[in-house]
Amino acid sequence: MGRPEEEDDDVFLALIQSESRLYTGDGSVNIKGQPVLKSNTGNWKACPFILGNECCERLAYYGISTNLVSYLTKYLHEGNASAARHVTMWQGTCYLTPLLGAGMCTLTLSASIPSLKPVECVDVICPSATPSQYAFFFTGLYLIALGTGGIKPCVSSFGADQFDDTDPKERVSKGSFFNWFYFSINIGALVSGTLIVWIQDNRGWDLGFGIPAFFIGFAILSFFLGTPLYRFQKPGGSPITRMCQVLVASFRKRDLPVPIDGSLLYLDKAAVISSIGTENGNYSNPWMLCTVTQVEELKILIRMFPIWATGIVFAAVFAQMSTLFVEQGMMMDTSIGSFAIPPASLAIFDVFSVMIWVPVYDQIIVPVTRKFTGQERGFSELQRMGIGLFISIFPMVAAALVEIKRLDVAKSLDLVNQNVPVPMSVFWQVPQYFLLGAAEVFMVVGQLEFFYDQSPDAMRSLCSALSLLTTALGNYLSSLILTAVMCITGGVGKIGWIPDNLNEGHLDYFFWLLGGLSFLNMVVYVVCAKAYKSKSVS
């Protein structure tokens, strides 16, 4: 007997979406456990504390990550490829607040105490850092990574929980929250990419690492000051445990047939009452018998997986902003008169792009496109992400064209064999940063919305963590591609695409490679997005 899967799926997904939630703070609760909210526009008055926390925490994080490749090459005396790999591996791990603060303090000490700092270069002789200096520095760095990993999956979903999905006006406000959440991140990045980077390059890394440590303390304070205003979702237990229970129960009853009776339509093997349970009278063991909701939650996550996977290549492209974009800028003219611009500071054009596109998208694009698409937020999350993936091709194209021009200048001035910057303004890099910022506004914010809206209520923090996992895996993928490229193009007697002297290499080939991968990734995404069945919003 066939079954009307699409119609019944909508009914069941709606049931999952409407799971009871409990709020404290300024939201009261009715006798059914449903929130009775005091404002049609959501709990915006709690959001400044959440956004302030995120702004300060991101200022601290970007205060380390933006210029990290410069520290590794100039002060730990690493090569270009090695420094880029270390940065992407660390960024991958970043995605426990006490650990974050401890990591910031450890990093500051590693740049402050003479015995923990590498010996400075004498002429062209640059002694390597000692094993103990490396160990202390990377201990601080990876404590930051672990701390960041505890914050990032929770803060965006917690902010979105301040808005009620059952109210149409609040659903629109929630979409606006995600835009301004990402805007606050980039305020922190703006300060880091200008003031903090300049301090690191001109006033010392002890102060340059110390200021981010101070802002971590301020971020913690900002978050706790808003506690009386927050709405808290009722805990639903560990989502990992719930998924494991479904898998274990399904495996135990793998030989059991699924009922054909329409009233039992959605009871797959994990949710079917078996003869073992009937004989023992044991219906409460969740590792033998799961709820239908648990089964459907796992099905939702499985449906989301292909969309999730396509975010990995985007993250690999984005990782170049703090690695090879910076190394490319270090081989260009960074002066404006007598003032030298730190190459990492070019990342502010990515920030400027985001700060321009967020209000334009929120205040202009959404209202205009809403009239044509009928969508509350102008574009659907899938459409928004697709636009972002399309735009992400062009930063790599722009970077490759800039590198071709830079290598031509080096060749014409006979600088190929000299490890010195070429007389070509670093501002040639502006388009690649600006295009990357535009791609972020569409892809990253759309991804935040998608994983929050499409996930079951009890798994929103987990799904936010999954969206951030694409960032981690993208950084690892970037490191893997870089390693593979160096193994294939380098080696004994070969210079390779990314040598220590970029004037001898072909960094443009690497950018073309990532651009090609971005195009293929977009094609795969379009296929997956067309096949994806969205979760109904009650």
Side-chain angles (χ1 to χ4, degrees), residues 237 257 330 343 354 372 436 440 470 499:
M330 291 166 64
V354 170
F372 297 97
L436 197 55
E440 282 181 74
T470 62

Side-chain angles (χ1 to χ4, degrees), residues 1 32 141 181 191 194 252 266 315 361 379 409 412 438 460 518:
M1 172 179 175
K32 294 182 180 180
L141 208 58
F181 174 80
V191 177
T194 52
R252 285 180 170 181
Y266 287 91
Y361 185 88
F379 294 109
V409 173
S412 65
R460 280 175 168 163
S518 296

Side-chain angles (χ1 to χ4, degrees), residues 134-182:
Y134 262 115
F136 196 84
F137 175 79
F138 280 103
T139 296
L141 208 58
Y142 278 88
L143 282 174
I144 293 171
L146 294 174
T148 301
I151 295 173
K152 292 301 292 177
C154 303
V155 65
S156 62
S157 58
F158 181 69
D161 280 345
Q162 306 306 306
F163 303 90
D164 182 13
D165 276 336
T166 63
D167 187 302
K169 291 183 179 179
E170 291 210 18
R171 283 203 301 270
V172 175
S173 295
K174 183 180 68 178
S176 184
F177 166 80
F178 281 117
N179 289 328
W180 293 108
F181 174 80
Y182 204 69

Side-chain angles (χ1 to χ4, degrees), residues 391-447:
I391 297 174
S392 71
I393 300 170
F394 297 99
M396 295 298 100
V397 172
L401 294 175
V402 168
E403 185 63 11
I404 290 172
K405 174 67 176 176
R406 196 191 68 80
L407 291 175
D408 284 344
V409 173
K411 185 177 180 180
S412 65
L413 297 177
D414 198 24
L415 298 176
V416 173
N417 296 320
Q418 300 182 47
N419 192 7
V420 295
V422 303
M424 176 180 170
S425 175
V426 74
F427 287 104
W428 279 77
Q429 288 189 305
V430 169
Q432 63 204 56
Y433 282 102
F434 198 85
L435 287 167
L436 197 55
E440 282 181 74
V441 171
F442 285 90
M443 174 60 185
V444 178
V445 181
Q447 194 178 48

